[in-house]
Amino acid sequence: SDKGHDAICNFVICNDSSLRSQPIIFNPDFFVEKLRHEKPEVFTELVVSNITRLIDLPGAELAQLMGEEDPKLPGANSTASGFFRSLMSLKRKEKGVVFGSPLTEEGIAQVSQLIEYLHKNLRAEGLFRVPGNSIRQQILKDALNSGTDIDLDSGEFHSNDVATLLKVFLGELPEPLLTHKHFHAHLKIADLTLFDEKGNKTSTPDKERQIEALQLLFLILPAPNRSLLKLLLDLLYQTAKKQDKNKMSAHNLALMFAPHILWPRNVTANDLQENITKLNNGVTFMIKHSQKLFKAPAYIRECARLHYLGSRAHTSKDDLDLLTSPGSKELQPLKSQKRSRLDTCHQEETQQRTEEALKELFRHVHNMPDSAKKKKLIRQFNKHPTALTPGSDVPTSPAPRRTRSRSFSGLIKRKVLGTPVILERKSRDATPEPERVSKENVRLLQKCGSPAHMSQAKLKSLEGRKEESCRRMRARLLSKDSSSL
């Protein structure tokens, strides 16, 4: 019978044997991406509310981050160095299909050829610092703009040509890769530092909060910017790993790229003044921790998942304020409370999936052609004089006019085949009647999707209910035997 249950459960869960043998690919950010594309306003509010929990953004800077106001950037009202700003602005007006144009998927596809080539040539000393040949760079630039096929492995181009051209592409974008409206947020993230035991701010960076803040900020980047940023930071991370050959550390690479991906356009070093060190250190941090920055924080994943799958437990807005710095000992109880609430949501959702699996299981058996196997499975269902599944808290009201079957089979029939079931809402003062669950039923439900990690206390409770069920069955059987005699 156990083998039969396994076969049926496998059929219900996946009726294609060829697919069952394939590995399951699970994307932990699936619901995050789904929420981003389908409900961008809800997604942005969720992410930004947590960004403002980590960093202090005044009203104007928050409005700029949300795109409600134009960014107010350094040097915007300054007349100093006007000649250099005009010169840089004129350079960017020479737009091509790829270079100098707003970032598009087509442009990323073209530039990704440069990144792919550089991944294979990371040992060149002074990579990204030593300029390439200007003539070869112009030939390569024209080819990328025109969409001509390029064979970078032919030996015609040097790795320094390709590396310099990648910087040129980033520098000619109408706005930096990390966008103007995120500029002030990056300055605030660089200021996140730890506190000492007395609550005073120290000069030690709070790396965990910085990583979390960057994860959130990257989530609300435009999709093309986020895609190219990931490709770029992966490249720079791998370049820094080979600094013993190319002499380019993460900090050296940040000095080369910060002006192109983070500095506002048409500004000079004088405009940024004391912020230059902060911005360079920020890019250095991104390179070093790039492998962690493109994963959504755990609480964002959970909120996105609950948004689509639903839960009987209502998550308040305060519940989103999760995952603070591990160094804050006084906030640890809040973490454990949130974790227990999420566990409760998970158990209730698993309960719902179990009920759906049981419905599908019975529907499949009921629709099978009449055969000895079908009768055997029906008899197996009738062996379980239980109600619902472990942990269920929805009682059914007693039928006043007729005796309703309390068997496992009868209950599923009523749920699946449409027999009216009157549900009563539990009053606040009423205590639900304990449900009886047999040991065999627990085993069947676990195979069809119930939690395998049931606590010892719950198992003992189920055993107690099972014994009570057995006593009642023996009493009924004895009464039938005595009447027949």
Side-chain angles (χ1 to χ4, degrees):
S1 61
D2 288 345
K3 291 182 180 179
H5 294 158
D6 288 338
I8 295 298
C9 287
N10 284 338
F11 181 88
V12 171
I13 295 170
C14 180
N15 57 8
D16 189 337
S17 59
S18 64
L19 291 179
R20 285 202 302 270
S21 61
Q22 299 297 321
I24 297 174
I25 300 175
F26 175 68
N27 176 14
D29 285 350
F30 171 78
F31 289 111
V32 176
E33 296 300 324
K34 183 177 175 67
L35 186 63
R36 184 219 301 270
H37 290 292
E38 295 182 358
K39 299 184 178 180
E41 292 182 358
V42 174
F43 177 80
T44 301
E45 182 180 356
L46 171 63
V47 173
V48 172
S49 66
N50 282 280
I51 291 176
T52 55
R53 173 175 56 84
L54 294 169
I55 58 177
D56 178 26
L57 288 175
E61 292 181 4
L62 179 59
Q64 293 169 32
L65 178 64
M66 298 289 288
E68 297 169 356
E69 293 184 9
D70 292 334
K72 296 179 181 178
L73 304 170
N77 300 321
S78 173
T79 57
S81 305
F83 171 76
F84 294 104
R85 286 196 192 88
S86 300
L87 182 61
M88 288 186 285
S89 179
L90 287 173
K91 283 185 176 180
R92 292 192 179 95
K93 288 181 180 178
E94 301 172 4
K95 295 183 179 179
V97 178
V98 176
F99 288 77
S101 297
L103 194 59
T104 63
E105 295 297 337
E106 179 186 0
I108 294 174
Q110 289 290 76
V111 173
S112 65
Q113 298 179 74
L114 306 181
I115 295 175
E116 184 179 351
Y117 170 81
L118 290 171
H119 267 292
K120 296 180 289 186
N121 295 272
L122 296 177
R123 295 176 177 271
E125 185 170 341
L127 190 65
F128 297 111
R129 186 181 70 243
V130 178
N133 180 274
S134 58
I135 296 177
R136 291 196 299 262
Q137 287 176 43
Q138 188 61 47
I139 294 172
L140 186 54
K141 183 177 181 180
D142 293 340
L144 290 172
N145 269 330
S146 63
T148 306
D149 291 336
I150 307 167
D151 183 10
L152 291 172
D153 295 320
S154 64
E156 181 181 355
F157 303 102
H158 190 273
S159 55
N160 287 335
D161 303 333
V162 178
T164 303
L165 193 61
L166 177 59
K167 289 195 298 180
V168 170
F169 169 79
L170 294 170
E172 290 186 2
L173 289 174
E175 71 169 345
L177 189 60
L178 292 171
T179 73
H180 282 141
K181 64 182 184 179
H182 288 191
F183 176 74
H184 292 293
H186 282 287
L187 290 178
K188 294 295 176 65
I189 291 173
D191 281 334
L192 288 174
T193 56
L194 294 173
F195 292 84
D196 59 21
E197 295 178 354
K198 296 181 180 180
N200 297 320
K201 198 171 185 179
T202 68
S203 60
T204 306
D206 189 341
K207 294 182 179 180
E208 295 299 325
R209 289 179 68 199
Q210 287 178 330
I211 289 173
E212 184 184 349
L214 288 171
Q215 287 175 333
L216 293 167
L217 201 57
F218 287 179
L219 283 175
I220 56 174
L221 275 175
N225 294 57
R226 192 168 189 264
S227 298
L228 182 57
L229 180 63
K230 187 176 189 312
L231 292 175
L232 177 64
L233 290 182
D234 283 342
L235 173 65
L236 299 183
Y237 175 79
Q238 296 298 333
T239 304
K241 284 180 68 174
K242 291 183 171 55
Q243 60 182 297
D244 58 324
K245 302 292 183 183
N246 55 42
K247 311 302 181 187
M248 295 298 291
S249 64
H251 181 68
N252 291 338
L253 292 168
L255 295 177
M256 298 295 104
F257 281 89
H260 301 303
I261 69 173
L262 185 51
W263 290 18
R265 290 293 182 251
N266 301 336
V267 300
T268 65
N270 289 332
D271 296 325
L272 298 175
Q273 297 178 358
E274 73 277 2
N275 286 330
I276 288 183
T277 300
K278 193 181 296 185
L279 295 173
N280 291 339
N281 289 342
V283 177
T284 303
F285 186 86
M286 292 180 207
I287 295 172
K288 288 182 176 180
H289 299 277
S290 62
Q291 306 308 299
K292 301 177 183 178
L293 302 182
F294 294 90
K295 302 172 184 177
Y299 54 87
I300 296 293
R301 293 179 185 176
E302 185 67 13
C303 291
R305 186 180 68 84
L306 292 178
H307 181 86
Y308 284 101
L309 298 182
S311 172
R312 294 176 217 170
H314 298 287
T315 305
S316 68
K317 188 173 182 180
D318 291 337
D319 290 337
L320 304 182
D321 297 343
L322 184 65
L323 289 187
T324 54
S325 171
S328 304
K329 296 181 179 180
E330 66 277 10
L331 298 180
Q332 293 300 326
L334 295 178
K335 288 186 179 182
S336 61
Q337 291 173 13
K338 174 60 181 173
R339 191 178 301 113
S340 65
R341 285 194 291 268
L342 294 181
D343 290 342
T344 301
C345 294
H346 175 71
Q347 291 173 2
E348 290 183 352
E349 182 205 334
T350 306
Q351 173 67 31
Q352 293 174 357
R353 290 202 303 267
T354 300
E355 291 179 8
E356 292 299 324
L358 286 171
K359 290 179 185 179
E360 186 66 22
L361 173 63
F362 182 81
R363 189 179 295 113
H364 168 67
V365 173
H366 185 268
N367 292 333
M368 289 174 61
D370 292 334
S371 64
K373 182 177 180 180
K374 177 178 178 179
K375 293 178 180 179
K376 182 178 178 181
L377 291 171
I378 293 295
R379 284 198 302 272
Q380 187 65 36
F381 275 112
N382 291 330
K383 285 182 181 180
H384 302 281
T386 58
L388 285 176
T389 55
S392 176
D393 58 357
V394 183
T396 56
S397 60
R401 296 184 181 179
R402 63 183 178 85
T403 302
R404 179 178 288 122
S405 168
R406 293 182 61 82
S407 70
F408 183 76
S409 173
L411 184 64
I412 295 183
K413 287 178 182 177
R414 293 196 299 276
K415 278 183 169 290
V416 177
L417 301 182
T419 305
V421 178
I422 302 174
L423 296 178
E424 293 181 347
R425 291 185 177 180
K426 294 188 296 182
S427 66
R428 294 181 179 177
D429 299 328
T431 56
E433 178 185 354
E435 299 156 357
R436 299 184 299 276
V437 183
S438 71
K439 191 174 182 179
E440 292 180 350
N441 190 24
V442 173
R443 190 183 303 118
L444 173 64
L445 293 176
Q446 287 179 340
K447 289 176 181 176
C448 294
S450 64
H453 51 279
M454 299 175 67
S455 66
Q456 293 295 328
K458 195 165 185 178
L459 288 175
K460 288 180 181 179
S461 174
L462 295 178
E463 288 294 335
R465 295 176 190 172
K466 174 248 183 185
E467 292 176 2
E468 176 64 19
S469 174
C470 290
R471 283 197 295 271
R472 294 189 183 185
M473 287 182 65
R474 290 194 195 98
R476 286 200 296 271
L477 290 174
L478 289 173
S479 63
K480 289 181 182 179
D481 291 342
S482 60
S483 63
S484 62
L485 292 174

